Amino acid sequence: MNLTTGGNGLTQNGDVSGQIDARSIRQDGYTAGTLDRVSVSAEGQVIGTFSNGQVVALAQLSVARFNADNALKRLDGGAFEETIESGPPIIGLGTSQLVGGSVEQSNTDIADEFSKMIVTQQAYSANTKVITTAQEMLSSVFNIIR
C-alpha cells in the first residue's frame, strides 16, 4: 500500500499550515451534568433537567384508554386485559392531559385482600393456641418435678 501525502505531510488540523488558531475553536457540546429533576409534561413526556442547564425528553408515556373500562378483565397483580365488551384500546391522550401530582384511584382488589387478612388472622390464632398448649405442657412438667 502506498500512501502519498502533500509536501507538508499529514496534520491533525484542518488548516493546511498545520497551525492551530485558538480563536476558531468552538464548543459544540455541554459540560458534564447530573440529573437534578424529573417532570412529566401534559403530553406525557418524561423530561429530565440536568445541572448543566440541559433539558432532555427522557421517555414518552404511552396511555391506553377504553370505551368501557369497567368491562376490562381483572388479572393478578393489578393488571387488566381487554375484552369484547371493553373494546379495543385507544392509544394516546386524545383531548385529555396528564396532570402532575395527581393520585390515581386504588386498583386494589378489596375482596381478595380481605380474604388474605382472614386467612392470616386464622393462622395467627392457630399459632397462639400451639404456644399456649406448649406453655401449659411445660408448666405441667415443672409441677411434676417439684
Side-chain angles (χ1 to χ4, degrees):
M1 172 187 282
N2 292 333
L3 181 63
T4 305
T5 63
N8 293 337
L10 294 174
T11 66
Q12 68 185 67
N13 305 312
D15 192 347
V16 291
S17 69
Q19 300 297 314
I20 296 177
D21 183 8
R23 292 173 292 174
S24 67
I25 296 176
R26 293 188 186 104
Q27 178 181 348
D28 63 351
Y30 290 91
T31 59
T34 58
L35 184 62
D36 281 343
R37 146 180 103 105
V38 177
S39 61
V40 178
S41 72
E43 294 80 33
Q45 287 186 327
V46 179
I47 298 173
T49 305
F50 292 85
S51 61
N52 60 4
Q54 193 173 18
V55 178
V56 178
L58 303 172
Q60 173 70 42
L61 295 177
S62 181
V63 179
R65 299 174 289 127
F66 292 87
N67 284 327
D69 52 352
N70 288 333
L72 292 168
K73 179 182 177 185
R74 184 180 305 271
L75 301 174
D76 290 338
F80 294 90
E81 182 177 52
E82 112 182 52
T83 62
I84 294 172
E85 294 83 18
S86 70
I90 303 165
I91 306 297
L93 292 172
T95 58
S96 56
Q97 289 186 342
L98 295 176
V99 179
S102 295
V103 179
E104 181 181 320
Q105 290 180 342
S106 175
N107 56 3
T108 302
D109 185 358
I110 294 176
D112 184 48
E113 295 300 320
F114 189 70
S115 298
K116 289 178 184 177
M117 184 181 73
I118 290 173
V119 168
T120 303
Q121 191 268 338
Q122 288 175 345
Y124 175 81
S125 182
N127 285 336
T128 57
K129 281 284 190 191
V130 168
I131 292 172
T132 303
T133 304
Q135 185 178 5
E136 289 174 2
M137 290 171 57
L138 190 59
S139 178
S140 297
V141 168
F142 285 147
N143 288 335
I144 292 173
I145 294 173
R146 290 182 194 171

